[in-house]
Amino acid sequence: MMCLEYDKAILIVDMGFRMPEEDMPGVDYIIPNISYLRGKEKNILGVLFTHGHYDHIGAVPYLVGRLGNPPLFASGLTRGIIIKRQEDFPHQPKLNITQVKDGSRINLGPFKIEFFKQNHNISDNLGIFIQTPIGNIVHTSDFKFDDNPVYDLPTNFKKLKEIGSRNILLLMSDSTGAEEKNHSLSEKDIMENLEEIFKQAEGRVIAVTFGSLINRIQQIIALSEKYGRKVAVDGYSMKTNVEICKKLGYIKSHKGTLIKINQINNYPDNKVTLLCTGAQGEGQAVLMRIANREHRFVRLKKQDTVIFSSSVVPGNERTVQVLKDELYRQKSKVFHYKMMDIHAGGHGQQEELAEMIRIMRPKFFVPIHGQYSMLVNHAELAHAQGIPEKNIAVVENGQVIDLTAKRILIERKPVESNYVMVDGLGVGDVGEIVLRDRQTLAQDGMFVIVAIIDRNTGKVRGSPDIISRGFVYLRESRQLLQDTRKKVIEIVNRTAGSGGAVNWSYVKDNVRNNIGDFLYTRTQRRPMILPVIIEV
Amino acid sequence: MMCLEYDKAILIVDMGFRMPEEDMPGVDYIIPNISYLRGKEKNILGVLFTHGHYDHIGAVPYLVGRLGNPPLFASGLTRGIIIKRQEDFPHQPKLNITQVKDGSRINLGPFKIEFFKQNHNISDNLGIFIQTPIGNIVHTSDFKFDDNPVYDLPTNFKKLKEIGSRNILLLMSDSTGAEEKNHSLSEKDIMENLEEIFKQAEGRVIAVTFGSLINRIQQIIALSEKYGRKVAVDGYSMKTNVEICKKLGYIKSHKGTLIKINQINNYPDNKVTLLCTGAQGEGQAVLMRIANREHRFVRLKKQDTVIFSSSVVPGNERTVQVLKDELYRQKSKVFHYKMMDIHAGGHGQQEELAEMIRIMRPKFFVPIHGQYSMLVNHAELAHAQGIPEKNIAVVENGQVIDLTAKRILIERKPVESNYVMVDGLGVGDVGEIVLRDRQTLAQDGMFVIVAIIDRNTGKVRGSPDIISRGFVYLRESRQLLQDTRKKVIEIVNRTAGSGGAVNWSYVKDNVRNNIGDFLYTRTQRRPMILPVIIEV
């Protein structure tokens, strides 16, 4: 999510979420921190969306209401996806969302906006040209250049060059591919390789990819038709997207090609394709359920061909390997992008990024999207294309750029941008402390000690209760528990004194520290120790 | 760890550990399950080690005592590493370990063994030729073919061919590279690329790699000497290995090249190299401490050159990216293996694996090491080299091969092979239940409810105590806690009846389920609920 501000007028581009890091167990998403916009809601003239991927639209249900429900602008498919998703959040306001397309122009206060088509791996992706009082800005959206896309128009270089001729003050360009050499693969090459697999497949084809990779889904459907196969689509995100795209005309298929998943066994194996989710080895996705023999209608067979037409998201390598192994065990034929080019990313690589810079010939350059290392590499690329270093600003989340017709500056003071985590219904209520506790609990479990103290004697009554999980297997640790109880009694009786006013937090600290050390000596583990002391 | 058994005689090859999976928080290692050997300790004639990497020797301190301390056989460096590691386990028996080398022959019962040198990325790596009453077996160890290694002898094809001429019944070969096309890179190419970086480096060189990659460590030391740099080594595993290797002569350096880490600031930046751990972005490793400004002697400077001379272990991609970003932020020059060939794996790829099979011309083939998908790909490779499918056995941990001079069979009944997890001092005591609890605790935390019941009235006394961690931020959830307490009182009073004999487990189940549902409705989170009910 990015804000452009001129005088008081605010224009927002995109409103996505990111997935949690590995050290954030239980967190669903991370959404943009909108503290800076608090109190400025009435100045928000609109939100422009570049395309329908969740990292660009996913935070809408969480934020749009809190921003005063401003007008939204999105292409047909993007709009369809945003509206569909909003249905999952019933208490949100109705969206005020205008459809735009390649060539659409809108005026919002000081901003004169024109959208232009860009190739990516979802249809209806739009770059944005913004005329402002200080100069013209181009936002590329996620993009790649493709002269031979499949079921899509090739990159319109003529149009891009025309935009580039408008004296561009600032180019903001997608950096995701900035560490990859050369040019991204054309979808045509992918199509040809996929076709080779379809040609040879003797049994069913099971194609897994991202539910959001609309172009690839279209390719698989088209190839299935060419080779006389029906297509069953399975997996929530995939089914939803195919449904939206079919309805809006972004996926084309012959009548009768798409069948329901429960009909898949009505056809000979060499007459069906299963298009489904699970390319990342996600536990609940369709392919994993098939591999685990938990799918309602599909069991793997020896002649099945499984195509992983997607990259592996960093961090998922091991789960994908586990899944792949299981497919091999069940004797499927497996094809993945390391074996042949059956997947292309949606992001331009170094050649394309350099070309974009040459086309736009901007005065100033800001690399956007991607990890910091990618931003830096993109900045170096821009410098190599002749943009002076002082005209390039590499910024991270929360940093503010101060731009005039003459210079680009990074403001010293960033706006608030710490992570806002969504966990269940909670938005922003899971913070450092909760996460640290979850990490500690995961490492060595927890150990609750409940001791009842007799108010009259100041001594522990009976035997303390111990509740422990994730620490040791309790049934096999009776001696340890018995020794611990004895130690607790001793510590409490010693530190609580003999009746009268007792410093309970002193007693608890003693229990926590001493029992912690005791358990560590015995096990070399450090469970979270939680003493509860109750006077009766 | 592999066992060869003839009649009653048992020969063991290697005794390593593996690292825990992502869903095994808190687990240190997974070691081999030796249930099958229980009661057969006296039949174990010896343990042969191929090389000194922890996936081949790491379980020695845990298992060798429990196997009756059998005789061990290892090359000089492997022996040195095993002995050094044993020092960390003071209560273990003294090892009975014989040094062997390229060409050594030993006889153990029916097994006549000969060791032969194999190239890998640690020195003193040995393949094993075993003459048995039913025929000759070759175990390749981890290997690659390298005609131009650095500070090591090239692959001795003459010797390998001589072994191949001995009528090999069974070849067991390293499958780790079986999914990689072509030939592995030679260390000479790596050396040349590394040298380019050294040539251009203006400030310090900070080279990170695995502590076990002895060959690479030698290369960095040699290049430093060539370019007039002292070398400081930091990181426990790296320092230990360099120390052992220096002592045993496996790493060579001029007198005075190696300096202590606290001397690093005594030299001009362009006169020092820091060789350290942390190539995987591990939190406590040296490079991460430097990046986080927590290292005692080293802060990053703008002219520093950081070389990642190692691959990224699957699953670590995200942490490595986070580290890389931080290095970029601090303006270091970063080189990693995706940018140029500054790392080669230690495992032969498809060309080398095929060549090994052609050299050995075995009757039977068993792919060993690596993920199941790699075993299958290696088996297909062997088949393509002319070995009939029925003569190839693809087996996983715990499976037993029944081999005669005439045929190879996989026995129907595997031996016990479920994971034995090491966590602190506990070996094998962390099982399914403990792990599942840790996972649950990590997801949504825990929620302990302590209610005191008056024995006379059967009613809750006072307000129940709630101890919760990792669920919600407690200070901001007072209303939720208050509502929960009220609900607990209501549930207990309702289910406990009015005094007399109470079914406490019924009461607890009610609290657990009802409060679980209540919290889920309010938060859409499912903490682990632990009710404690105490009668006074």
Side-chain angles (χ1 to χ4, degrees):
Chain A
M1 176 168 168
M2 168 191 286
C3 297
L4 279 77
E5 203 170 0
Y6 180 84
D7 210 354
K8 293 210 157 159
I10 293 173
L11 181 67
I12 294 175
V13 180
D14 287 335
M15 201 175 273
F17 64 54
R18 64 181 292 170
M19 299 307 285
E21 312 286 328
E22 280 157 35
D23 56 356
M24 302 175 184
V27 173
D28 303 331
Y29 323 112
I30 298 159
I31 60 172
N33 189 322
I34 54 168
S35 311
Y36 172 75
L37 296 172
R38 217 168 283 146
K40 304 190 184 74
E41 293 79 0
K42 62 180 187 316
N43 304 336
I44 300 173
L45 304 176
V47 185
L48 316 180
F49 293 94
T50 56
H51 62 290
H53 283 157
Y54 277 16
D55 54 334
H56 295 258
I57 62 138
V60 170
Y62 299 102
L63 300 184
V64 87
R66 292 163 67 198
L67 293 173
N69 206 15
L72 314 182
F73 301 87
S75 67
L77 179 57
T78 309
R79 182 172 178 272
I81 295 174
I82 292 174
I83 289 174
K84 175 77 187 167
R85 180 141 196 271
Q86 200 74 358
E87 290 171 8
D88 297 340
F89 296 78
H91 301 301
Q92 290 296 313
K94 194 172 166 336
L95 299 175
N96 163 10
I97 181 165
T98 304
Q99 187 168 329
V100 294
K101 62 177 196 216
D102 184 27
S104 292
R105 289 159 200 251
I106 53 173
N107 293 340
L108 293 171
F111 305 109
K112 293 188 182 11
I113 296 143
E114 179 180 341
F115 295 92
F116 57 94
K117 181 186 179 322
Q118 286 274 70
N119 290 78
H120 186 36
N121 47 24
I122 184 169
S123 321
D124 236 7
N125 178 47
L126 297 172
I128 309 172
F129 169 84
I130 308 170
Q131 190 188 321
T132 80
I134 59 154
N136 295 331
I137 297 176
V138 167
H139 182 298
T140 64
S141 177
D142 288 5
F143 80 98
K144 65 172 175 175
F145 290 150
D146 196 342
D147 291 326
N148 289 301
V150 179
Y151 297 89
D152 192 6
L153 296 169
T155 302
N156 186 347
F157 286 104
K158 209 179 134 203
K159 173 71 182 175
L160 289 177
K161 282 175 187 157
E162 187 274 311
I163 293 172
S165 72
R166 296 181 195 174
N167 196 12
I168 303 301
L169 180 68
L170 170 65
L171 172 65
M172 297 187 283
S173 182
D174 173 18
S175 312
T176 315
E179 293 182 313
E180 307 294 328
K181 285 176 192 148
N182 311 324
H183 197 291
S184 66
L185 292 168
S186 168
E187 287 295 327
K188 183 160 166 272
D189 302 330
I190 307 301
M191 187 73 169
E192 285 168 5
N193 286 326
L194 287 173
E195 178 153 6
E196 270 314 301
I197 301 175
F198 269 81
K199 259 187 208 160
Q200 291 168 22
E202 293 173 11
R204 295 177 300 187
V205 170
I206 300 178
V208 284
T209 187
F210 298 105
S212 58
L213 241 154
I214 306 301
N215 295 9
R216 196 62 42 73
I217 293 172
Q218 172 71 74
Q219 288 172 7
I220 301 284
I221 293 175
L223 282 171
S224 298
E225 288 177 337
K226 183 162 176 187
Y227 288 88
R229 291 173 184 266
K230 302 287 181 188
V231 180
V233 178
D234 201 20
Y236 181 75
S237 64
M238 183 92 70
K239 273 197 296 193
T240 310
N241 281 339
V242 169
E243 203 179 289
I244 298 171
C245 289
K246 277 286 294 179
K247 205 169 101 188
L248 301 176
Y250 291 94
I251 284 183
K252 292 182 176 55
S253 67
H254 302 154
K255 207 172 162 240
T257 294
L258 297 177
I259 58 171
K260 289 210 157 48
I261 182 71
N262 62 8
Q263 300 173 315
I264 196 167
N265 297 317
N266 301 350
Y267 298 86
D269 286 351
N270 63 357
K271 296 291 173 207
V272 285
T273 297
L274 170 60
L275 185 57
C276 65
T277 57
Q280 303 301 314
E282 311 95 313
Q284 281 316 300
V286 177
L287 186 57
M288 193 59 115
R289 279 189 279 131
I290 293 175
N292 290 340
R293 301 178 174 83
E294 293 165 1
H295 193 280
R296 265 182 81 187
F297 304 107
V298 184
R299 288 285 173 282
L300 282 174
K301 300 181 190 176
K302 202 174 169 172
Q303 317 88 313
D304 285 345
T305 297
V306 180
I307 307 174
F308 284 85
S309 186
S310 65
S311 56
V312 176
V313 171
N316 293 351
E317 289 74 5
R318 286 171 88 169
T319 41
V320 172
Q321 179 65 48
V322 168
L323 172 60
K324 236 170 67 185
D325 286 345
E326 193 50 42
L327 299 174
Y328 272 99
R329 272 187 205 103
Q330 297 182 39
K331 314 281 183 205
S332 306
K333 266 195 184 338
V334 178
F335 293 90
H336 54 88
Y337 78 111
K338 281 200 172 170
M339 296 164 70
M340 58 199 292
D341 291 331
I342 50 177
H343 174 68
H347 302 275
Q349 299 177 193
Q350 289 175 353
E351 275 181 22
E352 292 147 279
L353 299 180
E355 195 173 351
M356 179 62 94
I357 293 165
R358 288 194 300 267
I359 291 173
M360 294 299 162
R361 290 172 297 137
K363 180 164 185 181
F364 300 114
F365 180 73
V366 173
I368 57 170
H369 304 331
Q371 298 285 339
Y372 193 80
S373 68
M374 298 164 191
L375 302 181
V376 173
N377 278 289
H378 201 180
E380 282 169 11
L381 200 72
H383 184 50
Q385 299 306 312
I387 301 184
E389 266 185 56
K390 69 170 179 25
N391 287 7
I392 301 174
V394 175
V395 287
E396 294 201 80
N397 255 348
Q399 285 191 289
V400 179
I401 291 175
D402 178 0
L403 180 74
T404 68
K406 297 246 149 61
R407 53 125 189 85
I408 190 164
L409 286 179
I410 300 173
E411 289 194 358
R412 203 167 298 169
K413 207 167 164 300
V415 302
E416 212 176 290
S417 68
N418 53 321
Y419 281 173
V420 175
M421 289 178 258
V422 176
D423 179 2
L425 293 183
V427 177
D429 67 336
V430 169
E432 279 300 308
I433 296 176
V434 172
L435 279 186
R436 211 180 321 122
D437 284 344
R438 286 184 186 175
Q439 291 157 13
T440 307
L441 290 167
Q443 276 303 303
D444 283 325
M446 54 88 163
F447 199 89
V448 179
I449 300 160
V450 184
I452 307 285
I453 312 267
D454 191 310
R455 199 186 301 271
N456 300 320
T457 63
K459 300 289 176 209
V460 176
R461 225 201 231 187
S463 184
D465 272 294
I466 286 172
I467 305 102
S468 175
R469 293 288 186 279
F471 167 49
V472 292
Y473 189 49
L474 294 179
R475 292 197 185 186
E476 289 169 4
S477 312
R478 293 207 177 141
Q479 188 62 46
L480 179 68
L481 295 184
Q482 206 170 313
D483 296 349
T484 308
R485 281 199 197 90
K486 217 185 281 177
K487 226 174 156 62
V488 170
I489 295 175
E490 178 200 310
I491 297 165
V492 176
N493 287 350
R494 173 161 47 80
T495 53
S498 52
V502 175
N503 183 346
W504 290 119
S505 73
Y506 172 74
V507 177
K508 280 189 194 176
D509 284 350
N510 259 281
V511 172
R512 192 179 296 115
N513 297 335
N514 290 325
I515 296 298
D517 292 346
F518 172 72
L519 294 177
Y520 184 76
T521 313
R522 291 281 287 262
T523 63
Q524 282 189 20
R525 297 178 199 170
R526 291 211 171 277
M528 183 186 279
I529 309 233
L530 298 162
V532 183
I533 297 192
I534 297 169
E535 258 189 312
V536 292
Chain B
M1 175 168 167
M2 168 191 285
C3 297
L4 279 77
E5 202 172 1
Y6 180 83
D7 209 353
K8 292 210 158 161
I10 293 173
L11 181 67
I12 293 176
V13 181
D14 287 334
M15 200 175 273
F17 64 53
R18 65 182 291 169
M19 300 307 285
E21 311 286 328
E22 280 156 36
D23 56 356
M24 303 175 183
V27 172
D28 304 330
Y29 322 112
I30 298 159
I31 60 172
N33 189 321
I34 54 168
S35 312
Y36 173 75
L37 295 172
R38 216 169 283 146
K40 304 190 183 74
E41 293 80 359
K42 61 181 188 316
N43 303 336
I44 301 173
L45 304 175
V47 184
L48 316 180
F49 292 94
T50 57
H51 63 290
H53 282 158
Y54 277 14
D55 53 334
H56 295 257
I57 62 138
V60 169
Y62 299 101
L63 299 184
V64 87
R66 293 163 67 198
L67 292 174
N69 205 16
L72 314 182
F73 301 87
S75 67
L77 179 57
T78 309
R79 182 172 177 272
I81 295 174
I82 292 174
I83 289 174
K84 175 79 187 166
R85 181 141 197 271
Q86 200 74 358
E87 290 171 8
D88 297 338
F89 295 78
H91 301 301
Q92 290 297 313
K94 194 170 166 337
L95 297 176
N96 165 9
I97 180 166
T98 304
Q99 186 167 330
V100 294
K101 61 178 197 214
D102 184 27
S104 292
R105 288 160 200 252
I106 52 173
N107 292 339
L108 293 171
F111 305 108
K112 293 189 182 11
I113 296 144
E114 180 179 340
F115 295 91
F116 57 94
K117 181 187 179 318
Q118 286 274 68
N119 290 78
H120 186 37
N121 47 24
I122 184 169
S123 320
D124 237 6
N125 179 47
L126 297 172
I128 309 171
F129 169 84
I130 309 170
Q131 189 187 321
T132 80
I134 59 155
N136 294 331
I137 297 177
V138 167
H139 181 300
T140 63
S141 177
D142 288 5
F143 80 99
K144 65 173 175 175
F145 290 151
D146 196 340
D147 292 325
N148 289 300
V150 179
Y151 298 89
D152 193 8
L153 297 169
T155 302
N156 186 346
F157 286 104
K158 209 179 135 204
K159 174 71 184 178
L160 289 178
K161 282 175 186 158
E162 188 273 311
I163 293 172
S165 72
R166 295 181 196 174
N167 196 13
I168 303 302
L169 180 67
L170 169 66
L171 172 66
M172 296 188 283
S173 182
D174 173 18
S175 313
T176 315
E179 292 182 313
E180 306 295 327
K181 286 177 192 148
N182 311 324
H183 196 290
S184 66
L185 292 168
S186 169
E187 287 296 327
K188 184 160 166 274
D189 301 330
I190 307 300
M191 187 75 168
E192 285 168 5
N193 287 326
L194 287 173
E195 180 154 4
E196 270 314 302
I197 301 175
F198 269 81
K199 258 188 210 161
Q200 291 168 21
E202 292 172 12
R204 296 177 301 186
V205 170
I206 300 177
V208 283
T209 186
F210 297 106
S212 59
L213 241 154
I214 306 301
N215 295 8
R216 196 61 42 73
I217 293 173
Q218 172 70 75
Q219 289 172 7
I220 302 283
I221 292 175
L223 282 172
S224 298
E225 288 178 338
K226 184 163 175 186
Y227 288 87
R229 289 173 184 267
K230 302 285 182 190
V231 180
V233 178
D234 201 20
Y236 181 75
S237 63
M238 183 92 70
K239 275 197 295 193
T240 310
N241 281 339
V242 169
E243 202 179 289
I244 298 171
C245 289
K246 278 286 293 178
K247 204 169 101 186
L248 301 176
Y250 291 95
I251 285 183
K252 292 181 176 56
S253 67
H254 301 155
K255 206 171 163 240
T257 295
L258 297 178
I259 59 171
K260 288 210 157 44
I261 183 71
N262 62 8
Q263 300 173 315
I264 196 166
N265 297 318
N266 302 350
Y267 298 86
D269 287 351
N270 63 358
K271 297 290 173 208
V272 285
T273 297
L274 170 59
L275 185 57
C276 64
T277 56
Q280 303 302 314
E282 312 94 313
Q284 281 316 300
V286 178
L287 187 58
M288 193 60 114
R289 278 189 280 131
I290 293 175
N292 290 342
R293 301 178 174 83
E294 292 165 1
H295 193 279
R296 265 182 81 187
F297 304 107
V298 185
R299 287 287 173 283
L300 282 174
K301 300 180 189 178
K302 203 174 168 172
Q303 318 87 313
D304 286 345
T305 298
V306 180
I307 308 174
F308 285 85
S309 186
S310 64
S311 56
V312 176
V313 171
N316 293 350
E317 289 75 5
R318 287 170 88 168
T319 41
V320 172
Q321 178 65 48
V322 169
L323 173 59
K324 236 171 66 185
D325 286 345
E326 193 49 42
L327 299 174
Y328 271 99
R329 271 186 207 105
Q330 298 183 38
K331 314 281 182 206
S332 306
K333 266 194 182 339
V334 178
F335 293 90
H336 54 87
Y337 77 111
K338 280 200 173 172
M339 295 164 71
M340 58 198 292
D341 290 332
I342 50 176
H343 174 69
H347 302 275
Q349 300 176 193
Q350 289 175 351
E351 275 181 20
E352 293 147 280
L353 299 179
E355 196 174 351
M356 179 62 94
I357 294 165
R358 287 194 300 267
I359 291 174
M360 294 299 162
R361 289 172 297 138
K363 180 164 184 180
F364 299 114
F365 179 74
V366 173
I368 56 171
H369 303 332
Q371 297 285 340
Y372 194 80
S373 68
M374 298 164 191
L375 302 181
V376 172
N377 278 289
H378 201 180
E380 281 170 12
L381 201 71
H383 185 50
Q385 299 306 313
I387 301 183
E389 266 183 56
K390 70 172 178 25
N391 286 8
I392 301 174
V394 175
V395 287
E396 294 201 79
N397 255 348
Q399 286 192 289
V400 178
I401 290 175
D402 178 0
L403 180 73
T404 69
K406 297 248 150 58
R407 53 123 188 87
I408 191 164
L409 285 179
I410 300 173
E411 290 195 358
R412 203 166 299 169
K413 207 168 163 299
V415 303
E416 214 176 291
S417 67
N418 53 321
Y419 281 173
V420 175
M421 288 176 259
V422 176
D423 179 1
L425 294 182
V427 176
D429 67 335
V430 170
E432 280 299 307
I433 295 177
V434 172
L435 280 186
R436 210 180 321 122
D437 284 346
R438 287 183 185 175
Q439 291 158 13
T440 307
L441 290 166
Q443 276 304 303
D444 284 325
M446 55 87 162
F447 199 90
V448 179
I449 300 159
V450 184
I452 308 286
I453 312 266
D454 191 308
R455 199 186 301 271
N456 300 319
T457 64
K459 300 289 176 209
V460 176
R461 225 200 230 187
S463 185
D465 272 293
I466 287 173
I467 304 103
S468 175
R469 294 287 186 279
F471 167 49
V472 292
Y473 188 49
L474 293 179
R475 292 196 186 186
E476 288 170 5
S477 312
R478 293 207 179 143
Q479 188 61 47
L480 179 67
L481 295 184
Q482 206 171 312
D483 296 349
T484 308
R485 280 198 198 90
K486 216 185 281 175
K487 225 172 156 61
V488 169
I489 295 175
E490 179 199 310
I491 297 165
V492 175
N493 288 350
R494 175 160 46 80
T495 53
S498 52
V502 174
N503 183 345
W504 291 118
S505 73
Y506 172 73
V507 176
K508 281 188 193 177
D509 285 350
N510 259 280
V511 172
R512 191 179 298 115
N513 297 335
N514 289 325
I515 296 299
D517 291 347
F518 173 71
L519 293 176
Y520 184 75
T521 312
R522 291 281 287 260
T523 64
Q524 280 188 19
R525 299 179 199 169
R526 290 212 173 276
M528 183 186 278
I529 309 231
L530 298 161
V532 183
I533 297 193
I534 296 169
E535 259 189 312
V536 292

